[in-house]
Amino acid sequence: MIIDCHYHLDKSMLAEDVLINKMNECGVDKVALMGVVNEPIPSPPEFLLNIFRFSWSHRSLRFIAKAMSNSFTPEGNIKLPTGIFQIHSSPNNEVIFQAIDNKPDKFLGWVFINPLCEKDQIQEFDKWKDHPGFIGVKAHPFWHQYEPIELLPVAEQLSIIGKPLLIHAGWGSHGNYDVLLKELPELKLLLAHGGFPLYSETWNRIKNYKNVYIDLSQSSYLNERMTKEAVEFLGVDKCLFGTDGPHGVHGDDNLFDYSFIKRRIEKLFPDKEIKKRLLGENFLEFIGH
């Protein structure tokens, strides 16, 4: 079974029926959905992405990447070289589980938690934890601007039931997920986008944690070289296929190219058994299915 572990259900960018058609066309069996955290951000020019990736990959130049990606307005919106874009403080979980109810054979669901918004994190977790499509909690300490320790109440509940926490880590203290692992050494933790923003330093930190994984999502954050290096360093069993759709490369139809990341993995890792692990088996084991 091939499963995309990381997809934002933004119907304004890609309708549900179109997503399912694209899944069927490229042979993806299931998608783990999550809420929308930002308004659509146009894909930056490739030269700008190359600057991002190069500076992310070299510690001495990382200040460039941080300066370009870690600036926010007083209202909490993100300032990027291509403009200012709205960040949603409370991504909608209702639409995620409605989609799952409509297509339980196609969709799974992450519950999006922001400990700084008006929704109590435990109440929101309790609301969805018994839904048959529930797989875990997604959090964005980077764009919601908080330290991961703020997630401790919901992380404790996840640790008890053996479900994972997916984090998009940020810079400095917004990337300090170690404190959660110290408090909850059995917590299943998934780091988005190859361990953004520190990459190889993150890989070194998590290599010996049996319960900490990365996903390989988003063409802006990871190129082929970085994807290959991550899998080679951490091992095949700790890396998961994800797209971060509908954000990323667009196809000839001017919509999200849903098969792009899958094609990349198939190209880089042609061995049949390795592909099976990366594209689905690892994720099923990780979420306890």
Side-chain angles (χ1 to χ4, degrees):
M1 182 173 286
I2 297 177
I3 306 175
D4 174 0
C5 76
H6 189 144
Y7 186 95
H8 299 268
L9 185 61
D10 189 336
K11 298 179 186 181
S12 70
M13 296 180 66
L14 200 69
E16 269 178 63
D17 58 337
V18 180
L19 169 60
I20 290 172
N21 289 339
K22 286 180 174 286
M23 290 168 60
N24 292 336
E25 287 170 5
C26 67
V28 172
D29 299 292
K30 287 180 179 285
V31 176
L33 303 174
M34 63 190 74
V36 177
V37 70
N38 58 278
E39 69 170 306
I41 299 174
S43 182
E46 189 61 28
F47 81 89
L48 194 58
L49 289 176
N50 286 333
I51 293 173
F52 265 125
R53 296 183 193 116
F54 188 81
S55 56
W56 278 326
S57 302
H58 295 79
R59 186 181 302 186
S60 62
L61 298 175
R62 201 165 282 149
F63 70 94
I64 298 173
K66 184 175 181 180
M68 295 173 73
S69 66
N70 193 39
S71 181
F72 296 86
T73 70
E75 296 76 28
N77 298 318
I78 190 160
K79 294 192 287 185
L80 299 173
T82 51
I84 296 175
F85 301 94
Q86 184 181 6
I87 301 299
H88 306 306
S89 65
S90 184
N92 189 341
N93 292 313
E94 297 277 353
V95 297
I96 301 306
F97 290 91
Q98 288 172 4
I100 297 169
D101 288 338
N102 293 336
K103 287 288 183 180
D105 60 323
K106 290 293 185 182
F107 298 141
L108 301 167
W110 296 98
V111 172
F112 215 125
I113 296 290
N114 176 5
L116 301 187
C117 80
E118 67 278 4
K119 295 180 182 178
D120 178 82
Q121 60 180 292
I122 295 301
Q123 289 181 3
E124 191 67 7
F125 169 77
D126 286 341
K127 183 176 181 178
W128 303 109
K129 68 177 182 180
D130 294 323
H131 191 285
F134 168 81
I135 55 169
V137 166
K138 165 67 190 288
H140 208 310
F142 179 22
W143 281 0
H144 285 149
Q145 301 178 73
Y146 60 85
E147 297 184 16
I149 192 62
E150 299 289 339
L151 294 163
L152 184 59
V154 77
E156 288 175 335
Q157 297 304 308
L158 289 168
S159 186
I160 290 169
I161 65 175
K163 294 297 183 182
L165 172 64
L166 167 55
I167 281 183
H168 185 142
W171 300 95
S173 62
H174 294 166
N176 187 15
Y177 48 81
D178 301 70
V179 293
L180 287 176
L181 295 170
K182 288 176 182 175
E183 293 284 340
L184 303 166
E186 300 303 315
L187 175 68
K188 292 181 178 180
L189 183 64
L190 177 58
L191 301 177
H193 314 311
F196 171 91
L198 301 183
Y199 298 105
S200 59
E201 290 170 55
T202 294
W203 307 340
N204 275 299
R205 286 163 67 182
I206 69 173
K207 186 173 176 62
N208 294 322
Y209 282 104
K210 69 180 189 306
N211 50 315
V212 182
Y213 289 56
I214 64 168
D215 75 38
L216 303 172
S217 67
Q218 184 46 269
S219 52
S220 297
Y221 291 118
L222 289 167
N223 58 20
E224 288 190 2
R225 175 187 58 79
M226 297 163 75
T227 299
K228 195 168 190 295
E229 288 178 354
V231 174
E232 288 177 347
F233 186 87
L234 289 173
V236 169
D237 292 342
K238 296 192 68 169
C239 302
L240 310 178
F241 161 57
T243 64
D244 197 37
H247 310 288
V249 173
H250 282 47
D252 294 336
D253 58 2
N254 292 319
L255 297 174
F256 175 62
D257 183 354
Y258 190 75
S259 67
F260 183 85
I261 302 293
K262 180 172 178 280
R263 295 197 309 268
R264 171 186 286 176
I265 290 173
E266 291 169 337
K267 173 187 174 183
L268 294 176
F269 309 102
D271 180 270
K272 182 179 178 181
E273 292 305 312
I274 292 176
K275 283 190 293 187
K276 282 173 61 178
R277 299 297 303 175
L278 294 174
L279 292 174
E281 287 185 358
N282 290 343
F283 183 57
L284 287 174
E285 292 175 5
F286 184 60
I287 63 175
H289 279 215

